[in-house]
Amino acid sequence: MLSDTPGLHHVTGIVGDAGAHADFYGETLGLRLLRRTVNYEDRLQYHLYFGDATGSPGSVFTAFPDPNADPGRTGKPGYEAVAFAVPPGSLDYWRDRLADRGVEAGPLDPDARFGDRGLTLADPSGTRVELVATETAEPDPWTDGPVPAERAIRGLRGVTALPADPYGTASVLETLGFEYAAESGDRVRYRAPGDRATVVDLLDRDAAYLREGPGTLHHAAVRVADREVLLDWHGLFRDRGYDVSRVKDRHFFHSLYVRGPGGLLVELATEAPTPDGPPGPGLADPEATGHATDLYLPPRFEADRELIESQLPAFDGPASEPECPR
């Protein structure tokens, strides 16, 4: 039975060097490296998962490192920025932390962002990242890393998108359960009915065409309960003539991909894990006590582990550092 999505499940970007981005997301931003695995469509490319302590859906940012690709270009139809939620009162801490690590960060304009206060910055490939002061129900930040618990990222806040057709994309969001919330200039905000990772902003402005590559966001995924609900969504989108994929087993969850009239790639991903996947309450490796630095492969790839590991670039996990007292 169809039900509205409560919000985002994860956001995925394309980046350059794996080690530099593991340090950025795992050390500078203080997220947990949940999984070091491979792109199931290209097993000789890493797929890195970052998030909160358990990797709960709604906290996760994933990255496809592609160090040999030409730089990407943000544009239509694509995503301009991913936003993380940080506790109110923590922005001074984050401004100092980023400056100490040589990361330039500027303020968001609250007048153009419906009162949001936060920082805008870029990862080593140029992907736009925002830290937005947000009251959130996210209970379980990653606290065994370098960022104090009271300042740590609480999960995703949302994404900003550049659709080719904002009205077409709005119809997809409304079908999924997002509701129109506000409008300011060329920015229109939609919000899902859940308690976290609920914001999608659509920009109605001129922009170049998207060129996928390091520095761009590949897709945003929304949460659905389980595979049965996912199959119902598949039928609805197919009946409406949308470009929709088959249901895929991602081993940590099931998912499908859909492109609506606005051209954006949206994934629907289950909160329930796959029956044959690894156990655990979220996407985190239940066997890891800290960052998950061992390469996880689904059973169908295990016979090729030696070949896969020989072709993937070696890199250390996020560098460790003592907790900053500020």
Side-chain angles (χ1 to χ4, degrees), residues 107-322:
L108 296 178
D109 179 0
D111 293 334
R113 297 292 294 267
F114 315 106
D116 286 350
R117 298 189 178 278
L119 300 172
T120 178
L121 54 138
D123 75 10
S125 288
T127 312
R128 183 172 169 185
V129 175
E130 297 172 348
L131 304 179
V132 181
T134 310
E135 293 284 358
T136 177
E138 184 66 39
D140 200 18
W142 174 238
T143 58
D144 289 343
V147 178
E150 66 274 15
R151 311 295 190 199
I153 287 174
R154 264 33 185 193
L156 294 170
R157 173 55 164 20
V159 290
T160 298
L162 274 165
D165 175 1
Y167 298 100
T169 296
S171 71
V172 175
L173 292 177
E174 289 169 355
T175 298
L176 288 167
F178 287 79
E179 294 185 352
Y180 171 88
E183 189 169 349
S184 176
D186 60 6
R187 182 180 293 266
V188 184
R189 173 156 294 178
Y190 282 81
R191 195 181 291 274
D195 58 7
R196 56 194 170 92
T198 59
V199 172
V200 174
D201 285 355
L202 304 181
L203 298 179
D204 184 7
R205 65 175 61 155
D206 291 333
Y209 286 110
L210 170 70
R211 183 179 65 227
E212 284 190 349
T216 65
L217 296 169
H218 187 263
H219 66 267
V222 299
R223 307 194 296 277
V224 300
D226 54 34
R227 188 174 183 273
E228 294 305 312
V229 176
L230 196 64
L231 290 170
D232 289 339
W233 279 111
H234 181 273
L236 181 144
F237 285 125
R238 186 179 56 193
D239 290 346
R240 294 190 178 183
Y242 290 176
D243 181 8
V244 59
S245 76
R246 63 179 175 82
V247 171
K248 298 175 183 258
D249 182 351
R250 296 311 193 192
H251 222 248
F252 309 131
F253 51 85
H254 287 101
S255 75
L256 64 79
Y257 299 85
V258 61
R259 286 192 193 270
L264 287 178
L265 183 61
V266 178
E267 184 179 8
L268 283 67
T270 60
E271 294 183 289
T274 61
D276 62 341
L283 278 65
D285 180 356
E287 302 300 321
T289 56
H291 290 296
T293 55
D294 291 337
L295 180 66
Y296 172 83
L297 294 177
R300 66 183 183 274
F301 290 172
E302 276 295 343
D304 295 326
R305 176 177 284 274
E306 184 175 351
L307 169 66
I308 291 169
E309 290 184 333
S310 71
Q311 296 300 308
L312 292 171
F315 76 96
D316 295 328
S320 61
E321 60 172 299

Side-chain angles (χ1 to χ4, degrees), residues 45-68:
Q45 182 184 60
Y46 279 120
H47 192 181
L48 307 180
Y49 287 68
F50 301 89
D52 67 7
T54 64
S56 62
S59 78
V60 177
F61 179 80
T62 89
F64 296 128
D66 193 351
N68 299 316

